[in-house]
Amino acid sequence: MGTTGQRYVREVNGPVEQRRSGFGRVLAAVRLTVVSGTIGAALAALVVGVILKDVPVLATGGGVLVLFILLAFLGGRRGAGRDEPPALRTALARIEDLRATGGETADVPVTFRLTVAPEPEDERPAYRVKISQSVNLVDIPAYRPRGIAVVEYHPEKPWDVRIVTRPTPEWSRRAEEAEIDSAPESTLVRDPDGGAGAWCLLVLVGLLVGAALVVSSFRGDLFASSSGSRGAPKESSSSSASRTFSTSTTVSGPSSSLLTFGRMRVTAMELEARVDSAYVTSLRIEDHRMAVRGDSARPPAETVHLPSLPYELFPGLVREARTTLGVRDAESWRIDVTPGSGAGVGPRVRVTVSGTEGTAHLDADATGRITDRRAVGVS
């Protein structure tokens, strides 16, 4: 084994440095969680203070946010005043493996696995690194497994490596004469900040937990304030002899279809809160829309009770109608819920599907049991 490759065998501090790096990442994660949780709590305190008109809570939330803004500003000033980072170092590297990852232009993205052998004066053992770099199609044949390339790396960020495509004549000669042994896989270095998604998730969780702690601490006052603000409209609506109402809502965003599990019940409860009544005379559900109509003069026996409907069974009824009634590739579907006819008869559920073959429907009772089918072509 060559002298260049022997340096990492004698080095015994590599595992210790890795453990220190791992411990530093844990500390950074804890610090980030605490900071984001505190910011989330401060934002929630601002909102709670405005709703409850609580000046101390409002001042506390605002003061914490101002303090964090000031600390961030001072930290930025300190970072701007630091010395320039050290210059890049030049070294030789053994190409362990390379793979083109695509590209339709002259420059093709290539993933390299390298063994970087720093110069002796750098006092750093040889190590492995995985990089991605665009290489011109003309230059790709110059790079092959077990070949030697000239690279530049950051002395404080050993994972920041770049292949020098046009090295100086001296380094080209050294690359042609050098022999570098492969470093073991255990020496592979990675960017500790590479998992940006995990850090963002950590920040989001911290913000939500901090906000939830503040809101839960004031939940009694918040709910009392909310119920008090709705008292006057309820009183005025009950003073009228009768009232007709109708409203609808359109859902959008991720999982916007009302066939998504749990989405129907949540949307129905939103409409119930909007019309301030759990009893309606009709309910219509489509893929992205739900609508209700009602009349406060109707007795409960002639209405539909929204909370008691089996919304969790409705998607199954839609699937049954789509697959068993002769309508292939159903373009649309609709669920109509109306009061049952006669005393003691539950609401009637009708699922209608339409397609190029025509329109068909099936009926079910309040428990989701199918009571009748009307397929395409059946009169």
Side-chain angles (χ1 to χ4, degrees):
M1 189 165 60
T3 57
T4 304
Q6 289 176 354
R7 275 187 279 126
Y8 68 80
V9 177
R10 296 194 299 268
E11 179 67 40
V12 297
N13 292 329
V16 175
E17 292 178 355
Q18 292 178 359
R19 287 196 297 270
R20 288 176 178 172
S21 177
F23 183 67
R25 287 196 293 270
V26 172
L27 286 180
V30 172
R31 183 168 60 249
L32 185 63
T33 303
V34 172
V35 171
S36 58
T38 306
I39 293 175
L43 291 172
L46 280 177
V47 176
V48 170
V50 171
I51 294 175
L52 300 181
K53 298 179 180 179
D54 192 326
V55 176
V57 174
L58 183 63
T60 301
V64 172
L65 286 178
V66 170
L67 178 61
F68 271 105
I69 293 173
L70 181 61
L71 290 176
F73 175 75
L74 294 177
R77 292 287 298 274
R78 284 181 54 191
R82 290 175 182 171
D83 295 333
E84 290 295 326
L88 296 177
R89 304 286 177 85
T90 305
L92 298 178
R94 172 189 171 101
I95 302 175
E96 305 292 347
D97 187 25
L98 72 158
R99 179 168 56 89
T101 58
E104 299 179 356
T105 62
D107 291 331
V108 179
V110 180
T111 299
F112 291 90
R113 295 182 68 90
L114 306 173
T115 290
V116 180
E119 293 298 291
E121 58 268 18
D122 291 344
E123 298 182 355
R124 178 182 293 276
Y127 63 91
R128 284 206 181 200
V129 67
K130 182 178 180 181
I131 66 170
S132 181
Q133 182 172 331
S134 295
V135 179
N136 192 279
L137 283 171
V138 178
D139 297 330
I140 286 183
Y143 303 103
R144 62 189 186 279
R146 296 183 297 277
I148 306 299
V150 180
V151 299
E152 289 182 341
Y153 71 95
H154 196 292
E156 295 182 359
K157 300 176 182 178
W159 56 86
D160 186 5
V161 178
R162 184 182 66 87
I163 294 178
V164 180
T165 57
R166 297 291 184 268
T168 63
E170 179 186 356
W171 278 102
S172 297
R173 179 184 55 78
R174 293 181 60 179
E176 293 174 358
E177 299 174 353
E179 292 184 5
I180 301 176
D181 294 329
S182 298
E185 285 289 342
S186 60
T187 62
L188 181 67
V189 296
R190 296 183 176 87
D191 185 356
D193 298 327
W199 293 110
C200 292
L201 180 61
L202 201 61
V203 171
L204 179 61
V205 170
L207 289 172
L208 293 177
V209 170
L213 289 175
V214 173
V215 172
S216 62
S217 301
F218 294 90
R219 62 183 182 277
D221 295 335
L222 288 172
F223 291 154
S225 174
S226 178
S227 61
S229 65
R230 291 200 299 263
K234 287 185 177 179
E235 205 171 346
S236 62
S237 65
S238 62
S239 62
S240 58
S242 66
R243 179 174 63 98
T244 59
F245 55 83
S246 65
T247 186
S248 65
T249 184
T250 301
V251 297
S252 60
S255 303
S256 61
S257 174
L258 285 169
L259 293 178
T260 304
F261 183 79
R263 195 66 183 268
M264 285 189 188
R265 183 173 295 277
V266 171
T267 307
M269 296 305 100
E270 292 176 358
L271 292 181
E272 176 187 339
R274 189 180 300 178
V275 300
D276 196 18
S277 176
Y279 295 92
V280 299
T281 55
S282 69
L283 169 66
R284 170 165 292 189
I285 305 173
E286 296 171 324
D287 194 21
H288 299 280
R289 185 175 179 272
M290 182 180 291
V292 295
R293 294 179 179 273
D295 185 353
S296 60
R298 297 276 289 272
E302 299 178 7
T303 61
V304 175
H305 187 234
L306 289 176
S308 63
L309 292 176
Y311 299 100
E312 291 74 19
L313 302 178
F314 286 174
L317 294 177
V318 173
R319 287 193 298 271
E320 182 76 13
R322 281 175 160 177
T323 56
T324 63
L325 299 182
V327 180
R328 297 189 303 271
D329 298 328
E331 297 174 356
S332 63
W333 60 269
R334 184 180 75 246
I335 301 176
D336 293 291
V337 184
T338 54
S341 58
V345 180
R348 172 188 175 189
V349 180
R350 168 162 289 187
V351 181
T352 305
V353 291
S354 300
T356 55
E357 293 85 358
T359 301
H361 66 259
L362 60 80
D363 295 333
D365 59 18
T367 64
R369 182 177 61 88
I370 298 175
T371 59
D372 187 30
R373 298 173 186 267
R374 187 60 58 96
V376 171
V378 177
S379 58

